[in-house]
Amino acid sequence: MKGKSRHGTVRAALTAALALAGVLHAAEPWQDARRSPDARAAALLARMTTEEKFRLIHSEFGEPEPSRGWTKPAGALGSAGYIPANPRLGIPALQESDAGLGVANPLEIRPGDGATSLPAGLAVAASFDPDLAQAGGAMIGGEAHAKGFNVLLAGGVNLQREPRNGRNFEYAGEDPLLAGRIVGAAIRGIQSAHVLSTVKHYALNDQETARNTIDVRIGEQAARESDLLAFELAIEHGQPGAVMCAYNKVNGDWACENDFLLNRVLKGDWRYPGFVMSDWGAGHSAAKAANAGLDQESAAEAFDAQVFFDAPLKAAIAAGEVAPARLDDMVRRILRSLFAVGVFDHPARPAPIDVAASMAVARRAEEAGAVLLRNEHDLLPLAQPASIAVIGAHADKGVLAGGGSSLVTPRGGNAVPGLQPTAWPGPVTYHPSAPLAAIRALAGQARVDFDPGTDPAAAAALAARAQVAVVFVQQWAAESIDAADLTLPDQQDALVEAVAHANPRTVVVLETNSPVAMPWLDRVGAVLAAWYPGSAGGEAIANLLFGKVDPSGRLPITWPRALAQLPRPVLEGAAPGSPPPTAVNYDIEGADVGYRWFQRQRLEPLFPFGYGLSYTRFEHEATKVRIVDGVPQVAVRVRNVGTRAGADVMQVYAQTPDSPVRRLAGFAKVSLAPGEARTLTVALEPRLLAHFDVASRRWVRSAGDFALFVGHSATDLAAPVHVTLPAQTLDP
């Protein structure tokens, strides 16, 4: 008996040790991390009651909303969405936060809980660097996890069809390849922290004007080759746990109950295994939405007409309008994503945040994404001038942020509080990273004076006494509103004109949402597009102005000369008091968004897609092309022929037998020391060499001559290299 007892004790101790080491099976099959996400989801689903399933398919609004009579749910951290935990089955609470640029804290519902903000999504896209985008996503995901959040409403990939769109700063530009790869990398970074990310807003939510009612009209082939391709690429590269469907209608059906978008394309053709959640207020039905592919209704009590995915859906199932198997499919998809990302196995809980490391990520993103648009007579980098006048845009306090759900509350608070609007989509917020202080820190013995820019005459007088004038101008934009035009507000054009007249050595720094009109462009020495610069924007801008880093951003959008060049020169409903449009016609440009529209119409933009200056010069040596597994690979030797270290973006555009319009088909970024050369090899994206065939629902490459152009922008291209390719139908 003693021997058996001793062996039993040893066996128990060994069992406990193996369990702690993760070698033995967990108590329940879905807790076994060695199983696939699909197997774990199926095992857990089999144990759930109907009521438990329904509790997982609709979230609550996670913050109080007094105007709607909504109070913060017990257990919610205070954020965009919340689903309570299921202790019986070990399902964690879902704590959802907006996080397009960083972990949001709307109206400081969590007092004092600031976070790090990346610069605008356009800045990250302008870096043309997926690795940098992934690092930014990992930073946001890490901060979210350390705050207790496990679902982030991130991954904005709506294409810029409309430069007046108030949310352009959240997105990644006009080109599907660039946007898809950059956003996919950011999603991958977020989910590396075991935080589930969405991709949004699916699909064709390319303007804010009338976003809750507008019907987007576009043909299938055009949609597949533009906005839908951006989503397809982002999903492939990022594998997001959820897709957030949009507010608008697409060809007559709401995006969140659109069978074509959700069932046929997303879950059918793309074989997407995750779940679809509605945007906040985008739910419109029970049976139709469920049958069309919506899996989770978001914050319905506060935003939808009713909670469709509760009693109404139960009634629809009882009436045979929705199959019970569809409910199981909804829940299975949600659970699968939670397992795949690691939400179960790596619970989000409060932990220390390395703020310095996060700020370094934000600073590097701004340094890599700011675009030098003009630099006459090498005015930049500043070579220790004797005196500098810094003017405008609260540059003595901080840098501007965009408004709406993506707004990140700064650590230390808003640097310029009290500006209107203070309510949604505000408050107007400045991150406390003052360019003035950063410029003074790098200016050595130079005298640096500041003028607020509210009086052009006073600003001009200060500029006249300085060796160099740096004028900051700004354009606040936000979710739910669009601009009627591209004019800078508050008579800032007059400010720049006055300063430039007083001092031709004038540098203009743009803190803007998107392209703006620059009637003074030819009269200033330099222009730096800083976008919304993020939490470390002041330091990054100073580093760029003084040449501590080389400006290597390239435009992810086309900068028009005038509104008349756009497919829709008038944005209906954007002007105050004008009636909202019922529909918008995207078939005007179809798949030829941005630079492709300018090519097709033979229009000369102010600045082309892919454009950006540097403090050094790069040459692209002989282009070589070889075909690997039917796909062209383009090899180019890039050489830094200047005297400073810098980074170049090699861009490859393809012209197919089916179209005279060149498309970005590949890109790569490289950092080089003076005189250094490196060969870059880029495999072109096969879908950019093909067209989408609606009849077969496949990408088809036509046989014939393909012209491949290597260059520095969409219009600065070397002579083409021609290759002949056979016809090919791409694998689904």
PDB file of all heavy atoms in Angstrom, residues 164-187:
ATOM      1  N   ARG A 164     -11.814  65.373 -50.343  1.00  0.00           N
ATOM      2  CA  ARG A 164     -12.481  66.173 -49.317  1.00  0.00           C
ATOM      3  C   ARG A 164     -13.068  65.325 -48.193  1.00  0.00           C
ATOM      4  O   ARG A 164     -13.641  65.864 -47.237  1.00  0.00           O
ATOM      5  CB  ARG A 164     -13.582  67.022 -49.970  1.00  0.00           C
ATOM      6  CG  ARG A 164     -13.046  68.085 -50.912  1.00  0.00           C
ATOM      7  CD  ARG A 164     -14.065  68.552 -51.947  1.00  0.00           C
ATOM      8  NE  ARG A 164     -14.372  67.532 -52.933  1.00  0.00           N
ATOM      9  CZ  ARG A 164     -14.999  67.742 -54.085  1.00  0.00           C
ATOM     10  NH1 ARG A 164     -15.393  68.968 -54.399  1.00  0.00           N
ATOM     11  NH2 ARG A 164     -15.247  66.752 -54.923  1.00  0.00           N
ATOM     12  N   ASN A 165     -12.910  64.019 -48.277  1.00  0.00           N
ATOM     13  CA  ASN A 165     -13.425  63.104 -47.260  1.00  0.00           C
ATOM     14  C   ASN A 165     -12.781  63.413 -45.905  1.00  0.00           C
ATOM     15  O   ASN A 165     -11.555  63.430 -45.774  1.00  0.00           O
ATOM     16  CB  ASN A 165     -13.114  61.664 -47.679  1.00  0.00           C
ATOM     17  CG  ASN A 165     -13.605  60.624 -46.687  1.00  0.00           C
ATOM     18  OD1 ASN A 165     -14.180  60.947 -45.652  1.00  0.00           O
ATOM     19  ND2 ASN A 165     -13.370  59.368 -47.010  1.00  0.00           N
ATOM     20  N   GLY A 166     -13.619  63.615 -44.888  1.00  0.00           N
ATOM     21  CA  GLY A 166     -13.103  63.976 -43.576  1.00  0.00           C
ATOM     22  C   GLY A 166     -12.337  62.890 -42.862  1.00  0.00           C
ATOM     23  O   GLY A 166     -11.677  63.153 -41.852  1.00  0.00           O
ATOM     24  N   ARG A 167     -12.384  61.651 -43.356  1.00  0.00           N
ATOM     25  CA  ARG A 167     -11.655  60.555 -42.707  1.00  0.00           C
ATOM     26  C   ARG A 167     -10.457  60.085 -43.519  1.00  0.00           C
ATOM     27  O   ARG A 167      -9.873  59.032 -43.195  1.00  0.00           O
ATOM     28  CB  ARG A 167     -12.583  59.364 -42.453  1.00  0.00           C
ATOM     29  CG  ARG A 167     -13.668  59.618 -41.459  1.00  0.00           C
ATOM     30  CD  ARG A 167     -14.449  58.352 -41.101  1.00  0.00           C
ATOM     31  NE  ARG A 167     -13.847  57.626 -39.994  1.00  0.00           N
ATOM     32  CZ  ARG A 167     -14.445  56.595 -39.380  1.00  0.00           C
ATOM     33  NH1 ARG A 167     -15.628  56.164 -39.795  1.00  0.00           N
ATOM     34  NH2 ARG A 167     -13.859  55.987 -38.375  1.00  0.00           N
ATOM     35  N   ASN A 168     -10.048  60.833 -44.521  1.00  0.00           N
ATOM     36  CA  ASN A 168      -8.900  60.387 -45.305  1.00  0.00           C
ATOM     37  C   ASN A 168      -7.678  60.156 -44.429  1.00  0.00           C
ATOM     38  O   ASN A 168      -6.857  59.277 -44.711  1.00  0.00           O
ATOM     39  CB  ASN A 168      -8.568  61.403 -46.398  1.00  0.00           C
ATOM     40  CG  ASN A 168      -9.495  61.297 -47.595  1.00  0.00           C
ATOM     41  OD1 ASN A 168     -10.076  60.247 -47.854  1.00  0.00           O
ATOM     42  ND2 ASN A 168      -9.655  62.389 -48.323  1.00  0.00           N
ATOM     43  N   PHE A 169      -7.523  60.943 -43.375  1.00  0.00           N
ATOM     44  CA  PHE A 169      -6.339  60.813 -42.518  1.00  0.00           C
ATOM     45  C   PHE A 169      -6.278  59.447 -41.826  1.00  0.00           C
ATOM     46  O   PHE A 169      -5.207  59.020 -41.387  1.00  0.00           O
ATOM     47  CB  PHE A 169      -6.304  61.931 -41.479  1.00  0.00           C
ATOM     48  CG  PHE A 169      -7.339  61.816 -40.378  1.00  0.00           C
ATOM     49  CD1 PHE A 169      -7.035  61.170 -39.191  1.00  0.00           C
ATOM     50  CD2 PHE A 169      -8.601  62.374 -40.528  1.00  0.00           C
ATOM     51  CE1 PHE A 169      -7.984  61.068 -38.177  1.00  0.00           C
ATOM     52  CE2 PHE A 169      -9.547  62.285 -39.522  1.00  0.00           C
ATOM     53  CZ  PHE A 169      -9.244  61.619 -38.341  1.00  0.00           C
ATOM     54  N   GLU A 170      -7.406  58.742 -41.724  1.00  0.00           N
ATOM     55  CA  GLU A 170      -7.411  57.424 -41.092  1.00  0.00           C
ATOM     56  C   GLU A 170      -6.993  56.321 -42.059  1.00  0.00           C
ATOM     57  O   GLU A 170      -6.653  55.218 -41.620  1.00  0.00           O
ATOM     58  CB  GLU A 170      -8.804  57.087 -40.571  1.00  0.00           C
ATOM     59  CG  GLU A 170      -9.317  57.983 -39.462  1.00  0.00           C
ATOM     60  CD  GLU A 170     -10.649  57.487 -38.926  1.00  0.00           C
ATOM     61  OE1 GLU A 170     -10.792  56.262 -38.746  1.00  0.00           O
ATOM     62  OE2 GLU A 170     -11.538  58.321 -38.700  1.00  0.00           O
ATOM     63  N   TYR A 171      -7.011  56.604 -43.351  1.00  0.00           N
ATOM     64  CA  TYR A 171      -6.861  55.559 -44.350  1.00  0.00           C
ATOM     65  C   TYR A 171      -5.465  55.570 -44.970  1.00  0.00           C
ATOM     66  O   TYR A 171      -4.559  56.232 -44.474  1.00  0.00           O
ATOM     67  CB  TYR A 171      -7.954  55.707 -45.400  1.00  0.00           C
ATOM     68  CG  TYR A 171      -9.358  55.652 -44.823  1.00  0.00           C
ATOM     69  CD1 TYR A 171     -10.375  56.474 -45.311  1.00  0.00           C
ATOM     70  CD2 TYR A 171      -9.673  54.794 -43.772  1.00  0.00           C
ATOM     71  CE1 TYR A 171     -11.661  56.424 -44.794  1.00  0.00           C
ATOM     72  CE2 TYR A 171     -10.958  54.741 -43.244  1.00  0.00           C
ATOM     73  CZ  TYR A 171     -11.945  55.564 -43.753  1.00  0.00           C
ATOM     74  OH  TYR A 171     -13.212  55.512 -43.239  1.00  0.00           O
ATOM     75  N   ALA A 172      -5.298  54.811 -46.048  1.00  0.00           N
ATOM     76  CA  ALA A 172      -3.959  54.579 -46.587  1.00  0.00           C
ATOM     77  C   ALA A 172      -3.845  54.937 -48.062  1.00  0.00           C
ATOM     78  O   ALA A 172      -3.065  54.328 -48.795  1.00  0.00           O
ATOM     79  CB  ALA A 172      -3.556  53.118 -46.367  1.00  0.00           C
ATOM     80  N   GLY A 173      -4.623  55.918 -48.504  1.00  0.00           N
ATOM     81  CA  GLY A 173      -4.407  56.443 -49.841  1.00  0.00           C
ATOM     82  C   GLY A 173      -5.322  55.870 -50.895  1.00  0.00           C
ATOM     83  O   GLY A 173      -6.334  55.231 -50.615  1.00  0.00           O
ATOM     84  N   GLU A 174      -4.937  56.087 -52.156  1.00  0.00           N
ATOM     85  CA  GLU A 174      -5.819  55.828 -53.291  1.00  0.00           C
ATOM     86  C   GLU A 174      -5.508  54.551 -54.056  1.00  0.00           C
ATOM     87  O   GLU A 174      -6.292  54.151 -54.918  1.00  0.00           O
ATOM     88  CB  GLU A 174      -5.745  57.017 -54.257  1.00  0.00           C
ATOM     89  CG  GLU A 174      -4.397  57.157 -54.956  1.00  0.00           C
ATOM     90  CD  GLU A 174      -4.246  58.465 -55.713  1.00  0.00           C
ATOM     91  OE1 GLU A 174      -4.931  59.429 -55.355  1.00  0.00           O
ATOM     92  OE2 GLU A 174      -3.425  58.517 -56.652  1.00  0.00           O
ATOM     93  N   ASP A 175      -4.380  53.916 -53.785  1.00  0.00           N
ATOM     94  CA  ASP A 175      -3.968  52.769 -54.590  1.00  0.00           C
ATOM     95  C   ASP A 175      -4.250  51.465 -53.847  1.00  0.00           C
ATOM     96  O   ASP A 175      -3.864  51.311 -52.685  1.00  0.00           O
ATOM     97  CB  ASP A 175      -2.478  52.842 -54.911  1.00  0.00           C
ATOM     98  CG  ASP A 175      -2.031  51.664 -55.748  1.00  0.00           C
ATOM     99  OD1 ASP A 175      -2.315  51.661 -56.959  1.00  0.00           O
ATOM    100  OD2 ASP A 175      -1.438  50.730 -55.173  1.00  0.00           O
ATOM    101  N   PRO A 176      -4.912  50.500 -54.484  1.00  0.00           N
ATOM    102  CA  PRO A 176      -5.271  49.270 -53.767  1.00  0.00           C
ATOM    103  C   PRO A 176      -4.079  48.445 -53.311  1.00  0.00           C
ATOM    104  O   PRO A 176      -4.123  47.836 -52.240  1.00  0.00           O
ATOM    105  CB  PRO A 176      -6.143  48.505 -54.765  1.00  0.00           C
ATOM    106  CG  PRO A 176      -5.869  49.118 -56.099  1.00  0.00           C
ATOM    107  CD  PRO A 176      -5.484  50.540 -55.838  1.00  0.00           C
ATOM    108  N   LEU A 177      -3.005  48.400 -54.096  1.00  0.00           N
ATOM    109  CA  LEU A 177      -1.839  47.605 -53.690  1.00  0.00           C
ATOM    110  C   LEU A 177      -1.167  48.225 -52.474  1.00  0.00           C
ATOM    111  O   LEU A 177      -0.901  47.536 -51.479  1.00  0.00           O
ATOM    112  CB  LEU A 177      -0.846  47.493 -54.846  1.00  0.00           C
ATOM    113  CG  LEU A 177       0.457  46.751 -54.502  1.00  0.00           C
ATOM    114  CD1 LEU A 177       0.180  45.293 -54.161  1.00  0.00           C
ATOM    115  CD2 LEU A 177       1.462  46.853 -55.653  1.00  0.00           C
ATOM    116  N   LEU A 178      -0.889  49.511 -52.532  1.00  0.00           N
ATOM    117  CA  LEU A 178      -0.236  50.169 -51.400  1.00  0.00           C
ATOM    118  C   LEU A 178      -1.119  50.114 -50.160  1.00  0.00           C
ATOM    119  O   LEU A 178      -0.661  49.734 -49.076  1.00  0.00           O
ATOM    120  CB  LEU A 178       0.079  51.627 -51.753  1.00  0.00           C
ATOM    121  CG  LEU A 178       0.692  52.460 -50.623  1.00  0.00           C
ATOM    122  CD1 LEU A 178       2.050  51.918 -50.213  1.00  0.00           C
ATOM    123  CD2 LEU A 178       0.795  53.926 -51.038  1.00  0.00           C
ATOM    124  N   ALA A 179      -2.392  50.477 -50.301  1.00  0.00           N
ATOM    125  CA  ALA A 179      -3.283  50.493 -49.148  1.00  0.00           C
ATOM    126  C   ALA A 179      -3.437  49.098 -48.560  1.00  0.00           C
ATOM    127  O   ALA A 179      -3.385  48.915 -47.334  1.00  0.00           O
ATOM    128  CB  ALA A 179      -4.644  51.060 -49.551  1.00  0.00           C
ATOM    129  N   GLY A 180      -3.633  48.104 -49.411  1.00  0.00           N
ATOM    130  CA  GLY A 180      -3.822  46.749 -48.915  1.00  0.00           C
ATOM    131  C   GLY A 180      -2.617  46.221 -48.175  1.00  0.00           C
ATOM    132  O   GLY A 180      -2.745  45.595 -47.110  1.00  0.00           O
ATOM    133  N   ARG A 181      -1.427  46.471 -48.697  1.00  0.00           N
ATOM    134  CA  ARG A 181      -0.224  45.954 -48.040  1.00  0.00           C
ATOM    135  C   ARG A 181       0.079  46.708 -46.749  1.00  0.00           C
ATOM    136  O   ARG A 181       0.464  46.094 -45.745  1.00  0.00           O
ATOM    137  CB  ARG A 181       0.965  46.035 -48.998  1.00  0.00           C
ATOM    138  CG  ARG A 181       0.924  44.998 -50.121  1.00  0.00           C
ATOM    139  CD  ARG A 181       2.276  44.874 -50.799  1.00  0.00           C
ATOM    140  NE  ARG A 181       3.316  44.513 -49.840  1.00  0.00           N
ATOM    141  CZ  ARG A 181       4.627  44.639 -50.075  1.00  0.00           C
ATOM    142  NH1 ARG A 181       5.029  45.126 -51.249  1.00  0.00           N
ATOM    143  NH2 ARG A 181       5.499  44.300 -49.178  1.00  0.00           N
ATOM    144  N   ILE A 182      -0.082  48.020 -46.754  1.00  0.00           N
ATOM    145  CA  ILE A 182       0.206  48.799 -45.550  1.00  0.00           C
ATOM    146  C   ILE A 182      -0.781  48.455 -44.437  1.00  0.00           C
ATOM    147  O   ILE A 182      -0.396  48.196 -43.287  1.00  0.00           O
ATOM    148  CB  ILE A 182       0.169  50.304 -45.864  1.00  0.00           C
ATOM    149  CG1 ILE A 182       1.361  50.701 -46.748  1.00  0.00           C
ATOM    150  CG2 ILE A 182       0.153  51.130 -44.583  1.00  0.00           C
ATOM    151  CD1 ILE A 182       2.714  50.610 -46.093  1.00  0.00           C
ATOM    152  N   VAL A 183      -2.066  48.434 -44.755  1.00  0.00           N
ATOM    153  CA  VAL A 183      -3.073  48.146 -43.732  1.00  0.00           C
ATOM    154  C   VAL A 183      -2.977  46.690 -43.285  1.00  0.00           C
ATOM    155  O   VAL A 183      -3.124  46.385 -42.094  1.00  0.00           O
ATOM    156  CB  VAL A 183      -4.479  48.497 -44.242  1.00  0.00           C
ATOM    157  CG1 VAL A 183      -5.547  48.059 -43.247  1.00  0.00           C
ATOM    158  CG2 VAL A 183      -4.580  50.000 -44.488  1.00  0.00           C
ATOM    159  N   GLY A 184      -2.724  45.780 -44.217  1.00  0.00           N
ATOM    160  CA  GLY A 184      -2.536  44.384 -43.830  1.00  0.00           C
ATOM    161  C   GLY A 184      -1.389  44.219 -42.848  1.00  0.00           C
ATOM    162  O   GLY A 184      -1.490  43.462 -41.872  1.00  0.00           O
ATOM    163  N   ALA A 185      -0.297  44.939 -43.075  1.00  0.00           N
ATOM    164  CA  ALA A 185       0.850  44.864 -42.159  1.00  0.00           C
ATOM    165  C   ALA A 185       0.503  45.431 -40.792  1.00  0.00           C
ATOM    166  O   ALA A 185       0.909  44.890 -39.755  1.00  0.00           O
ATOM    167  CB  ALA A 185       2.042  45.607 -42.756  1.00  0.00           C
ATOM    168  N   ALA A 186      -0.254  46.533 -40.768  1.00  0.00           N
ATOM    169  CA  ALA A 186      -0.663  47.112 -39.491  1.00  0.00           C
ATOM    170  C   ALA A 186      -1.544  46.143 -38.706  1.00  0.00           C
ATOM    171  O   ALA A 186      -1.391  45.989 -37.485  1.00  0.00           O
ATOM    172  CB  ALA A 186      -1.388  48.432 -39.729  1.00  0.00           C
ATOM    173  N   ILE A 187      -2.474  45.485 -39.390  1.00  0.00           N
ATOM    174  CA  ILE A 187      -3.333  44.490 -38.736  1.00  0.00           C
ATOM    175  C   ILE A 187      -2.490  43.348 -38.175  1.00  0.00           C
ATOM    176  O   ILE A 187      -2.695  42.881 -37.043  1.00  0.00           O
ATOM    177  CB  ILE A 187      -4.374  43.964 -39.730  1.00  0.00           C
ATOM    178  CG1 ILE A 187      -5.382  45.063 -40.096  1.00  0.00           C
ATOM    179  CG2 ILE A 187      -5.097  42.736 -39.175  1.00  0.00           C
ATOM    180  CD1 ILE A 187      -6.253  44.720 -41.281  1.00  0.00           C
TER     181      ILE A 187
END
